[in-house]
């Protein structure tokens, strides 16, 4: 009987340690606006992400052309002239939430989020803080960070340079559900 109880505890702990959470409907938003000019911002509601709770490893992917702008012409210029989304269709992030655990997530906590963001085939290290909260079987993850267009070899023509911010602010909001 004692061996059976130990075996059950081991199996349960392995099951908990191997938990993965994912989403295909995460929201990624960027803002590159400069005051006094038309807002340069867009949202992608189909970001995919997976989180391994036992290690804190997180990966995310999104398709560039899924960003939606308020102005259709701005979206066309973004995809064709700046992001070259036919050649570089997706952006990825691979990183780690440090010191992550189920117990710590039961109330909203902040965890260091570090990893590599890849856009247009160029890699950039990202270090930020993520707010993480476990509610039921859903993990809510929010973070924000900034990048520069030149980090990814994005050329901004001088005619519009003053209309686009030097720092592009990116925010993510993912609601990940347990993958069974």
């Amino acid at each position: 009987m004692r061996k059976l109880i130990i075996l059950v505890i081991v199996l349960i702990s392995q099951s908990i340690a191997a938990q993965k959470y994912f989403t295909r409907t995460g929201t990624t938003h960027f803002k590159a606006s400069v005051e006094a000019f038309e807002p340069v911002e867009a949202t992608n509601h189909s970001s995919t992400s997976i989180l391994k709770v036992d290690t804190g490893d997180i990966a995310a992917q999104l398709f560039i052309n899924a960003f939606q702008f308020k102005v259709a012409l701005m979206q066309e210029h973004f995809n064709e002239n700046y992001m070259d989304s036919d050649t570089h269709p997706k952006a990825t992030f691979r990183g780690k939430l440090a010191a992550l655990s189920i117990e710590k997530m039961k109330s909203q906590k902040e965890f260091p989020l570090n990893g590599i963001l890849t856009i247009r085939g160029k890699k950039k290290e990202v270090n930020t803080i993520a707010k993480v909260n476990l509610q039921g079987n859903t993990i809510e993850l929010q973070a924000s960070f900034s990048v520069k267009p030149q980090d990814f070899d994005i050329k901004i023509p001088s005619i519009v340079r003053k209309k686009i911010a030097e720092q592009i602010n990116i925010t993510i909001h993912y609601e990940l559900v347990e993958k069974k």
Side-chain angles (χ1 to χ4, degrees), residues 26-148:
T27 300
T28 303
H29 180 82
F30 79 82
K31 188 172 184 176
S33 302
V34 174
E35 286 192 38
F37 290 105
E38 189 169 11
V40 178
E41 58 185 279
T43 303
N44 181 321
H45 292 288
S46 57
S47 303
T48 300
S49 183
I50 190 161
L51 170 64
K52 293 181 182 177
V53 174
D54 61 330
T55 62
D57 291 335
I58 185 166
Q61 173 180 290
L62 61 79
F63 287 96
I64 299 296
N65 63 8
F67 276 103
Q68 298 295 309
F69 289 75
K70 289 182 181 174
V71 178
L73 184 60
M74 197 178 286
Q75 186 166 331
E76 183 179 327
H77 286 290
F78 172 78
N79 283 299
E80 293 176 9
N81 301 341
Y82 301 108
M83 297 303 292
D84 198 16
S85 60
D86 287 339
T87 306
H88 306 285
K90 60 187 172 183
T92 61
F93 177 83
R94 293 191 187 277
K96 188 176 214 55
L97 284 160
L100 185 72
S101 74
I102 289 284
E103 283 304 312
K104 292 179 184 176
M105 288 188 287
K106 290 191 177 173
S107 62
Q108 187 177 59
K109 296 282 187 205
E110 293 183 346
F111 298 91
L113 173 61
N114 306 302
I116 302 295
L117 176 64
T118 305
I119 300 174
R120 299 183 76 234
K122 305 295 179 195
K123 297 178 186 292
K124 168 81 172 141
E125 188 174 334
V126 172
N127 299 300
T128 190
I129 299 295
K131 293 178 183 175
V132 182
N133 191 20
L134 175 66
Q135 293 186 339
N137 85 356
T138 301
I139 293 176
E140 184 178 1
L141 186 143
Q142 298 177 54
S144 61
F145 55 93
S146 297
V147 296
K148 296 179 181 179

